[in-house]
Amino acid sequence: MEKKKVVLGVIGSDCHAVGNKILDYSLTDAGFEVINIGVLSPQEDFINAAIETNADAILVSSLYGHGEIDCRGMREKCEEAGLKDILLYVGGNIVVGKQDWNEVKQRFLDMGFDRVYPPGTPVEEGIRDLKEDLNITE
Amino acid sequence: MDAYLFIDFGSTFTKLTLVDIEKEEVIATEKSYTTVETDVTIGYENALKKLNQKVSGDYNIVKKLACSSAAGGLKIIAIGLVPELTAEAAKRAALGAGAKVIKTYSFKLNSSELEEIKNSNADIILLAGGTDGGNCDTIIHNAKMIEKFSISIPVVVAGNKSSNDEIKEIFGEKVEYYITENVMPNLNHINVDPARETIRNIFMKKIVHAKGMENVEKSISGILMPTPAAVLKAAEALSMGSRDEEGIGDLAVIDIGGATTDVHSIAEGAPSKPGVVLRGLEEPFAKRTVEGDLGMRYSAMSVFEAAGIKKMKKYLKYDDLDIEAEFKNRYTNTSYVADDEKEIDFDEAMAKVCADISMKRHAGVVEAIYSPMGMMYAQEGKDLMELPYILGTGGVIVNSKNPKEILQAAVFTMEDPTSLKPRRPKFLLDKNYILSAMGLLTTIDPNMAVRMLKKYIVEI
């Protein structure tokens, strides 16, 4: 079967590169084709990459607390760009300070993200969800 | 003695360079007006006659090779998917092939865009879109549209490999097409060389016939490439060397012509300082940019627009000239030759503006980003800060008494603090105006081309 494609990157003015490399490695190892656009990536770069490569999912990382501002309007832009049913995941330290996780999660779900992950989530969990959402059976 | 003859059919002049094969020396150069309206053979023979008068003794021409930018050069329309990605990659491939990109299109094309393409005077369409295994819909839609509008321009297909079979079926016998490798096989990685070669082959086989060149083709061995492609080849040879000869390393070429200013850089352009993050599309190692609005005659008015009076005054020695009138004069009278000191100064000030702006557009920029971790830098394009050489060519530079001053205008200044222009380059001069001839020589004997370039390109 053809490999499923995911666009991976760190959004906004965030330059945390280590987690990005770990995700790249783990996802590739799990059988995905990873298009890693790296750190300091604006929304447009994720979307353009997904258009050209015909990707199945966009995985957004944010570690510096500004994720909420950076991610706003992303689903709408995807719709505008013709990426109708693309999966949108987000994870990391996506908000400022200690806030109630359930509320945070709900805010991101309302923004149109399909999956939202708190800090400290094991990579395996995301991969398991991704396989489920993309109907990959091994 | 045995010799090679290189011919450059330029838009204004047909230039000849005669090279002694054994001594590896330029025997003579000569030029005459290009006669593209009637038959280019006339201008070629005029130049040849003058050349023969110059040369004493007999010579036996082993090979005659030519490049051409006459009749408007090679004009290409580039089509891609996302403007910043495959459309930009297609544009860069076309520029690297020595073409003039008349327009770039992106996404699915509509009927009015197809009408525009149909009515354009393009010589080749470069059709890209999608990474390998990526998006197929758009390039297939665009191929269908090209077939539907019965476009008679040859199409170079350099997109998603997975769509090639379907495109073959769509085009069939109706559209002349050539399939080559994807200009962007995976995201942000470009692969411009195969498309460049395919374009050059089409140019050689087809385009030159359509440009009133068929007569002259009989008397020479072949018109191999567009002139800018030959200049780029020479620059690559001088920089990287050949199998047996050492090159001189990274360099940039500034070629100021009557209608355009070309900048070629042979350099990776990686960040020269730590803590800089690269953004945007990967840059070709040998990169060419063309500024259609910067030129000494045909584009004089647009130089005036781009520069403004302030920038001109910065470079002018005399301030009592009517600047706008001087620009107008050069624009309306394109064969104008500056003869007195003031006029020459004005021409050179224009050349400095061209060098300044063209290098600014060619080089990358660095942007400071304020993040919670402190200030970060993001670089887009090539970092040429530490570039060791700038090589000048083109009439105004070659014939100038102060070529170094003109090239100096391309250097980094604090006026553009974010620009990654070269900071302390050494300056080289194409004194004998042989760059395009040497580009042609690389196709016969690359080692000899490198040796001759190192001999004839002088430091100033």
Side-chain angles (χ1 to χ4, degrees), chain B residues 304-323:
Chain B
F304 178 56
E305 256 165 57
I309 291 179
K310 196 173 82 187
K311 208 172 196 113
M312 270 308 281
K313 278 197 172 151
K314 179 180 148 193
Y315 291 122
L316 273 173
K317 284 195 192 97
Y318 304 93
D319 52 6
D320 57 340
L321 287 165
D322 179 350
I323 292 178

Side-chain angles (χ1 to χ4, degrees), chain A residues 30-103:
Chain A
F32 292 96
E33 188 179 331
V34 181
I35 297 117
N36 190 353
I37 60 170
V39 298
L40 289 176
S41 298
Q43 287 186 5
E44 290 72 20
D45 284 9
F46 284 91
I47 292 165
N48 286 340
I51 296 175
E52 288 280 8
T53 59
N54 215 15
D56 305 285
I58 295 177
L59 274 50
V60 180
S61 304
S62 179
L63 228 54
Y64 73 150
H66 298 223
E68 196 173 349
I69 302 168
D70 293 335
C71 291
R72 251 178 226 157
M74 187 146 181
R75 174 58 81 186
E76 288 77 4
K77 277 190 202 152
C78 285
E79 301 260 329
E80 197 70 55
L83 298 169
K84 265 190 106 151
D85 302 310
I86 195 155
L87 284 175
L88 276 182
Y89 285 19
V90 63
N93 279 314
I94 51 179
V95 290
V96 182
K98 299 249 177 294
Q99 301 183 31
D100 178 52
W101 174 248
N102 286 325
E103 271 179 36

Side-chain angles (χ1 to χ4, degrees), chain B residues 347-403:
Chain B
D347 260 5
E348 297 197 345
M350 268 179 84
K352 285 171 194 170
V353 167
C354 293
D356 177 348
I357 301 177
S358 63
M359 184 53 89
K360 185 181 168 183
R361 293 183 190 160
H362 184 92
V365 286
V366 68
E367 185 192 2
I369 295 167
Y370 301 96
S371 81
M373 287 83 64
M375 191 133 83
M376 294 290 307
Y377 294 93
Q379 172 187 332
E380 224 163 308
K382 283 184 176 184
D383 181 351
L384 301 176
M385 282 279 201
E386 304 302 324
L387 191 81
Y389 297 108
I390 292 182
L391 164 55
T393 185
V396 65
I397 294 181
V398 171
N399 299 322
S400 167
K401 283 189 188 123
N402 316 301

Side-chain angles (χ1 to χ4, degrees), chain A residues 5 13 45 48-49 51-53 64, chain B residues 82 86 130-131 133-135 279 372:
Chain A
K5 271 180 252 171
S13 311
D45 284 9
N48 286 340
I51 296 175
E52 288 280 8
T53 59
Y64 73 150
Chain B
V82 175
T86 42
T131 53
N135 183 293
R279 292 215 29 227

Side-chain angles (χ1 to χ4, degrees), chain B residues 193-455:
Chain B
D193 291 342
R196 226 167 94 170
E197 276 309 299
T198 311
I199 292 168
R200 203 171 71 78
N201 278 327
I202 301 172
F203 173 82
M204 210 162 75
K205 284 199 208 107
K206 314 222 75 162
I207 311 295
V208 285
H209 295 291
K211 301 263 186 204
M213 298 259 181
E214 57 281 322
N215 289 332
V216 81
E217 276 221 292
K218 285 176 209 132
S219 48
I220 61 178
S221 323
I223 300 175
L224 295 186
M225 56 186 99
T227 306
V231 173
L232 188 60
K233 272 208 187 316
E236 277 180 281
L238 178 63
S239 164
M240 297 193 281
S242 56
R243 204 173 65 98
D244 302 329
E245 296 291 333
E246 199 83 54
I248 63 165
D250 289 357
L251 61 90
V253 177
I254 297 182
D255 182 353
I256 304 175
T260 62
T261 297
D262 284 26
V263 180
H264 309 254
S265 66
I266 318 293
E268 192 191 353
S272 55
K273 291 193 197 74
V276 178
V277 180
L278 271 173
R279 292 215 29 227
L281 193 61
E282 184 192 31
E283 296 281 342
F285 185 76
K287 182 184 182 179
R288 166 175 176 249
T289 49
V290 186
E291 306 309 334
D293 62 339
L294 301 175
M296 299 298 296
R297 295 293 178 265
Y298 299 92
S299 316
M301 283 322 281
S302 49
V303 173
F304 178 56
E305 256 165 57
I309 291 179
K310 196 173 82 187
K311 208 172 196 113
M312 270 308 281
K313 278 197 172 151
K314 179 180 148 193
Y315 291 122
L316 273 173
K317 284 195 192 97
Y318 304 93
D319 52 6
D320 57 340
L321 287 165
D322 179 350
I323 292 178
E324 190 170 353
E326 290 291 331
F327 275 114
K328 267 202 185 118
N329 175 32
R330 281 162 176 77
Y331 174 70
T332 45
N333 180 13
T334 50
S335 57
Y336 171 78
V337 180
D339 39 20
D340 69 17
E341 197 187 337
K342 265 187 183 176
E343 295 295 338
I344 291 173
D345 178 56
F346 190 87
D347 260 5
E348 297 197 345
M350 268 179 84
K352 285 171 194 170
V353 167
C354 293
D356 177 348
I357 301 177
S358 63
M359 184 53 89
K360 185 181 168 183
R361 293 183 190 160
H362 184 92
V365 286
V366 68
E367 185 192 2
I369 295 167
Y370 301 96
S371 81
M373 287 83 64
M375 191 133 83
M376 294 290 307
Y377 294 93
Q379 172 187 332
E380 224 163 308
K382 283 184 176 184
D383 181 351
L384 301 176
M385 282 279 201
E386 304 302 324
L387 191 81
Y389 297 108
I390 292 182
L391 164 55
T393 185
V396 65
I397 294 181
V398 171
N399 299 322
S400 167
K401 283 189 188 123
N402 316 301
K404 194 173 174 177
E405 273 177 40
I406 297 175
L407 293 175
Q408 191 78 41
V411 169
F412 175 87
T413 63
M414 275 318 283
E415 279 170 42
D416 290 311
T418 59
S419 173
L420 295 168
K421 282 174 162 188
R423 235 173 358 169
R424 285 182 295 268
K426 289 181 185 149
F427 298 103
L428 304 173
L429 180 66
D430 177 19
K431 185 173 59 136
N432 303 68
Y433 216 156
I434 56 159
L435 225 44
S436 58
M438 290 302 109
L440 290 167
L441 179 59
T442 59
T443 62
I444 322 173
D445 187 345
N447 294 330
M448 177 176 166
V450 176
R451 284 194 295 268
M452 283 193 68
L453 279 164
K454 285 203 278 195
K455 185 152 63 172

